[in-house]
Amino acid sequence: MRLLLPQNCLLCGADAGDAVLCTPCLADLPLHDSPACPICAQPTATHSVLPYPAAPEHNPGEVCGACLRHPPAFTRSVSAYTYRFPLDKLIPALKYHHQFAVVDVLTAPLVARVASASLPDVLVAMPLHPLRLRERGFNQSLLLARRLAARLQIPLLEHTCQRIRDTAPQTGLPVKQRQANLRNAFVCTDAVANKRIAIVDDVMTTGSSLDSLARALLRAGAADVQCWVSARAVMP
Ligand SMILES: [Zn+2]
Ligand SMILES: [Zn+2]
């Protein structure tokens, strides 16, 4: 039925045909394509040895100070969008209002961006704690991961990682406290042993959750961990 009935754009209400966003709103989405730290995807200065402007998938940013001082457990991060308006509307629309059609919008730039690099062996989704899963009914990161797995033809390990500590809500806590809460928050089975893995998540804010999950994956024997996110919050 959805294909037969004209829809209204989720953001501006204009006629969107059979799509979730109208063409102008789709074209206005803030792609995360300025030079950024290859490890954590924070915008940084341009890498001096690369020609500029380079294609966004070449990610010609320098490694940021934070990653130099405290290298995270993951080696690379790729984000589809910068987390600002209207991503702060689109991601909650998926998470809390069951707008599943948003999954395509949130994953399409990632497909394009990661396809040019060497792909991981398997994907895992950032797990929700069972209590949150029961509240929400689904894991939004798993929906994103399933779409990416299908489009890129990479296996998705759905039952390999578990969140064993209910760390939510993390918002508003100081970074130190967040990290303490997240220590040993995840366990992974040895299905990841010797595999190169990409973790799929909706939003990367401080990167603490992704770092904690990456550590758990490495403890379980993973060879390498990178992060694929729909939106990257830019830290001041
Ligand atoms: Zn619109
Ligand atoms: Zn960095």
Side-chain angles (χ1 to χ4, degrees):
M1 282 306 282
R2 201 176 65 75
L3 295 175
L4 300 174
L5 297 170
Q7 294 201 95
N8 291 332
C9 171
L10 202 62
L11 292 171
C12 74
D15 182 2
D18 60 4
V20 67
L21 297 183
C22 70
T23 311
C25 282
L26 192 63
D28 267 0
L29 293 178
L31 290 170
H32 195 72
D33 56 6
S34 58
C37 170
I39 299 176
C40 74
Q42 271 302 309
T44 50
T46 320
H47 206 296
S48 48
V49 299
L50 284 175
Y52 186 77
E57 58 269 27
H58 293 154
N59 203 358
E62 287 178 343
V63 175
C64 74
C67 288
L68 285 175
R69 281 191 302 277
H70 304 287
F74 47 81
T75 54
R76 175 175 180 240
S77 296
V78 186
S79 180
Y81 301 103
T82 304
Y83 190 73
R84 59 175 163 82
F85 181 83
L87 274 303
D88 56 352
K89 300 282 175 281
L90 288 180
I91 290 174
L94 169 64
K95 239 164 132 167
Y96 304 113
H97 305 292
H98 298 201
Q99 291 283 350
F100 298 123
V102 175
V103 167
D104 255 340
V105 175
L106 294 178
T107 51
L110 275 174
V111 172
R113 206 156 291 175
V114 299
S116 62
S118 77
L119 291 173
D121 303 314
V122 293
L123 302 184
V124 300
M126 174 60 74
L128 276 183
H129 189 271
L131 286 177
R132 304 286 148 223
L133 189 59
R134 211 169 307 154
E135 260 173 26
R136 205 172 293 164
F138 65 95
N139 174 358
Q140 74 282 357
S141 299
L142 183 58
L143 299 184
L144 300 171
R146 280 186 187 147
R147 183 64 53 92
L148 289 166
R151 296 218 29 206
L152 293 162
Q153 301 281 296
I154 304 175
L156 167 65
L157 300 177
E158 290 208 16
H159 308 287
T160 299
C161 299
Q162 267 194 304
R163 194 187 276 255
I164 50 172
R165 272 202 196 179
D166 188 11
T167 50
Q170 289 273 79
T171 338
L173 288 180
V175 174
K176 274 239 158 75
Q177 184 71 48
R178 277 187 177 215
Q179 284 166 344
N181 285 355
L182 279 163
R183 213 163 290 139
N184 304 319
F186 302 95
V187 284
C188 305
T189 70
D190 60 9
V192 299
N194 304 315
K195 299 260 196 310
R196 292 169 307 142
I197 297 170
I199 306 171
V200 178
D201 202 359
D202 54 351
V203 184
M204 182 174 190
T205 309
T206 61
S208 303
S209 304
L210 287 160
D211 185 47
S212 177
L213 179 55
R215 278 177 209 284
L217 287 163
L218 293 175
R219 273 200 303 275
D224 177 71
V225 183
Q226 57 175 303
C227 307
W228 293 357
V229 299
S230 286
R232 178 60 161 115
V234 171
M235 311 308 270

